[in-house]
Amino acid sequence: MTLAPEADESELRAVFEATIERHDRIEPRDWMPEAYRKTVIRQVAQHAHSEIIGMQPEGNWITRAPSLRRKAILLAKVQDEAGHGLYLYSACETLGVSRLELTEMLINGKQKYSSIFNYPTLSYADVGTIGWLVDGAAICNQVPLCRTSYGPYGRSMIRICKEESFHQRQGYELLATMMRGTDEQREMVQESVNRFWWPALMMFGPPDDDSPNTAQSMAWGIKRNTNDDLRQRMVDMTVPQAKALGVTLPDPELRWNEERQSHDFGSPDWDEFKDVITGNGPCNTQRIAHRRRAHEDGAWVREAAMAFAARGAEA
Amino acid sequence: MTDIQGDWPLYEVFVRGKRGLNHVHVGSLHAADDEMAVRHARDVYTRRNEGVSIWVVRSDAITASSPDEKDPLFAPSGDKVYRHPTFYDIPSDVPHM
Ligand SMILES: [Fe+2]
Ligand SMILES: [Fe+2]
């Protein structure tokens, strides 16, 4: 209206930077640097894809849950993950990318999702371990993201964090129940924890000295903590939980460091991590093929609903 | 309307948390029509009794103030400080004010 139509870019940039400086939020219709927009799109899309692909490893067990109680819980949990994906997709769309484009970038491998979901779920104990360790790691990662600088992303995170606590607790309770069972059940839990511990620690991403985007993302307030900080937090939170459960975390280097008031721990196998994120994990092909099939098989439903809506609008 | 090959139209969702509160914007979703938007909104945004009432509206039906007009649009309220109770000095021993 009154503002000069082409407000000088340096002025706009100054307003943007002052907003970030005040720890205030950037909202969809604000001017933002193209690189900021791209970085937020990449991070939120990757996060959304992870929620959606993350339904598969656990969904695998819904029809074989050991009781109606466990089945109802697992169904609700997996349904929540679908919801999380949808909150995040809609946050991402406020940056001018469409849902269809996002889905296509996922199934064409142009955007990534969390490496953890490329590991298989081999026993029902894995449902418990995923809730405890994978949702646990997700909580570590997501709580600080409630204060991320992009408004819609932060609001999605707040909603998601409220729901995650149920996910972690149901997993821990499942494992605790098995640990009170037979020797065989206890072995199942330990075996499952052995498989998931390192991949769960990899969820925070590469070590800080090998994470080129972290500094810029933190300067923009998109990320609030470094990968290694969050990983340390996860280890410190998990050790007493493992003790209470009666399982061993499979790391011979894990020990309390009195000086640092924190645990020392070993390094995940970063070659394995690179392998998994570049598509060579145990389940990458299967996960994407399944998502692609769901998208393609659902096409006629989406079209029929549009045709029905168009007819309703004419009548 | 939206091309049949593309996405369903985008809707904004507003939820009334409980009686006595306003509907508040909670997010958005895609749906083929209004009725489906309400159903999807129930599944996506109220899985834990978060609401007693839902409004949905097509995003393209919303008119918003532009962020660039921030100053001129809100100026009429910005310079009328006398609209706020704190503008008035009342002796602190006067009760119930
Ligand atoms: Fe989630
Ligand atoms: Fe979760």
Side-chain angles (χ1 to χ4, degrees):
Chain A
M1 235 186 314
T2 16
L3 215 71
E6 67 277 349
D8 188 81
E9 180 167 324
S10 67
E11 257 171 64
L12 292 168
R13 184 176 295 272
V15 172
F16 170 84
E17 264 152 24
T19 309
I20 297 283
E21 192 72 26
R22 286 195 309 274
H23 297 291
D24 216 338
R25 303 296 187 262
I26 304 297
E27 293 295 343
R29 286 150 54 86
D30 293 342
W31 183 91
M32 60 190 89
E34 211 30 52
Y36 176 87
R37 180 187 303 273
K38 283 212 178 98
T39 306
V40 179
I41 289 178
R42 182 166 40 94
Q43 182 168 332
V44 180
Q46 181 167 331
H47 199 154
H49 298 327
S50 302
E51 304 282 357
I52 296 299
I53 296 291
M55 290 192 282
Q56 292 183 40
E58 290 182 286
N60 181 38
W61 285 96
I62 291 173
T63 55
R64 290 170 291 161
S67 68
L68 188 56
R69 178 176 184 272
R70 292 292 167 195
K71 185 173 185 159
I73 293 169
L74 183 54
L75 206 52
K77 200 248 180 192
V78 172
Q79 192 190 18
D80 273 353
E81 304 302 1
H84 296 176
L86 296 178
Y87 307 153
L88 287 162
Y89 279 134
S90 69
C92 202
E93 288 175 87
T94 61
L95 290 162
V97 53
S98 78
R99 180 76 56 97
L100 190 63
E101 287 174 285
L102 290 167
T103 304
E104 281 171 353
M105 285 191 275
L106 169 64
I107 60 185
N108 295 330
K110 293 210 180 83
Q111 284 178 336
K112 294 189 165 55
Y113 55 90
S114 175
S115 56
I116 191 77
F117 302 116
N118 291 314
Y119 291 87
T121 43
L122 304 179
S123 80
Y124 208 81
D126 289 358
V127 172
T129 308
I130 288 176
W132 175 37
L133 296 179
V134 175
D135 290 88
I139 292 171
C140 255
N141 201 16
Q142 288 168 350
V143 168
L145 286 176
C146 295
R147 294 177 295 112
T148 188
S149 61
Y150 188 58
Y153 187 29
R155 293 191 285 276
S156 307
M157 285 327 316
I158 291 171
R159 191 165 273 282
I160 288 173
C161 284
K162 278 190 198 152
E163 301 182 352
E164 286 295 352
S165 166
F166 144 60
H167 297 180
Q168 196 188 23
R169 292 173 67 107
Q170 65 80 34
Y172 193 83
E173 186 228 40
L174 191 165
L175 296 178
T177 307
M178 290 183 77
M179 291 303 285
R180 288 193 302 271
T182 63
D183 282 346
E184 203 189 344
Q185 286 176 308
R186 276 185 285 277
E187 270 162 39
M188 276 171 77
V189 173
Q190 185 62 59
E191 188 274 334
S192 171
V193 170
N194 290 349
R195 271 184 293 114
F196 274 98
W197 174 246
W198 293 111
L201 291 188
M202 292 177 198
M203 286 173 69
F204 298 98
D208 292 349
D209 54 23
D210 190 24
S211 178
N213 301 323
T214 294
Q216 180 62 76
S217 281
M218 286 182 67
W220 276 331
I222 299 171
K223 270 173 89 155
R224 293 293 187 187
N225 304 82
T226 72
N227 299 350
D228 287 335
D229 278 352
L230 293 169
R231 197 167 5 251
Q232 178 75 60
R233 204 177 287 182
M234 168 77 181
V235 171
D236 289 335
M237 276 170 35
T238 310
V239 168
Q241 297 168 352
K243 199 169 164 226
L245 198 57
V247 297
T248 311
L249 298 172
D251 178 359
E253 293 173 57
L254 182 65
R255 63 181 56 86
W256 177 248
N257 182 324
E258 188 60 37
E259 217 169 290
R260 291 199 306 121
Q261 288 293 302
S262 238
H263 293 86
D264 292 338
F265 58 101
S267 173
D269 179 348
W270 293 116
D271 291 333
E272 175 184 321
F273 175 74
K274 285 200 180 115
D275 235 30
V276 175
I277 56 168
T278 48
N280 302 316
C283 300
N284 298 55
T285 312
Q286 179 190 338
R287 300 290 186 240
I288 291 298
H290 185 82
R291 182 67 192 88
R292 175 187 291 281
R293 206 179 325 121
H295 181 64
E296 289 170 359
D297 291 353
W300 73 270
V301 179
R302 295 192 295 275
E303 285 165 20
M306 279 311 291
F308 180 79
R311 207 179 330 144
E314 276 163 30
Chain B
M1 264 196 127
T2 315
D3 148 33
I4 213 151
Q5 302 300 324
D7 282 322
W8 285 337
L10 191 65
Y11 282 81
E12 300 301 323
V13 180
F14 300 79
V15 170
R16 184 200 291 286
K18 58 180 181 185
R19 288 176 178 278
L21 298 180
N22 286 320
H23 285 77
V24 174
H25 183 244
V26 292
S28 55
L29 51 74
H30 291 273
D33 57 26
D34 299 357
E35 199 189 320
M36 188 193 278
V38 172
R39 285 168 193 271
H40 284 183
R42 187 205 56 189
D43 291 345
V44 178
Y45 291 104
T46 63
R47 287 192 301 284
R48 288 178 177 76
N49 298 320
E50 288 92 337
V52 294
S53 160
I54 296 172
W55 286 348
V56 294
V57 60
R58 289 238 338 212
S59 309
D60 57 15
I62 291 180
T63 307
S65 65
S66 152
D68 296 347
E69 294 160 9
K70 189 172 184 291
D71 293 336
L73 187 69
F74 296 105
S77 61
D79 63 2
K80 293 178 181 60
V81 285
Y82 48 84
R83 285 178 173 171
H84 297 277
T86 46
F87 180 73
Y88 304 93
D89 274 335
I90 306 285
S92 56
D93 52 358
V94 177
H96 308 305
M97 291 276 284

